């Protein structure tokens, strides 16, 4: 697989919505718009984030795990 293919598959920079609240001390879940559809990822954040809050993916920690931040208003 080419390096360009890897970056095209990355959710980093994608916008998502919290589907399972993210506590400050553990994971939650986000639904992220990627590759022409939506995919669920386990998500962590430095601060707690409630359900239905829009977020941006800032890092991928694994194939199905991401770090997110609240989307600026």
């Amino acid at each position: 697989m080419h390096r360009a293919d890897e970056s095209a598959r990355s959710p980093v920079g994608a916008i998502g919505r919290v589907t399972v609240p993210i506590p400050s001390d553990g994971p939650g879940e986000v639904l992220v718009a990627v590759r022409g559809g939506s995919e669920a990822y386990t998500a962590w954040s430095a601060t707690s984030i409630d359900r239905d809050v829009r977020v941006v993916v800032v890092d991928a920690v694994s194939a199905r795990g991401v770090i997110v931040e609240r989307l600026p208003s």
Side-chain angles (χ1 to χ4, degrees):
M1 188 175 288
H2 298 295
R3 181 59 117 181
D5 293 337
E6 286 297 319
S7 64
R9 296 173 52 104
S10 174
V12 174
I15 304 300
R17 181 178 51 84
V18 176
T19 54
V20 174
I22 304 169
S24 58
D25 62 348
E29 185 179 87
V30 294
L31 192 60
V32 179
V34 289
R35 296 183 279 284
S38 295
E39 295 187 24
Y41 290 86
T42 301
W44 288 265
S45 174
T47 60
S48 61
I49 304 177
D50 292 330
R51 185 174 181 200
D52 292 326
V53 173
R54 288 171 40 99
V55 294
V56 60
V57 177
V58 295
D59 197 7
V61 295
S62 69
R64 303 305 306 167
V66 294
I67 305 291
V68 298
E69 293 179 355
R70 288 177 189 268
L71 192 64
S73 310

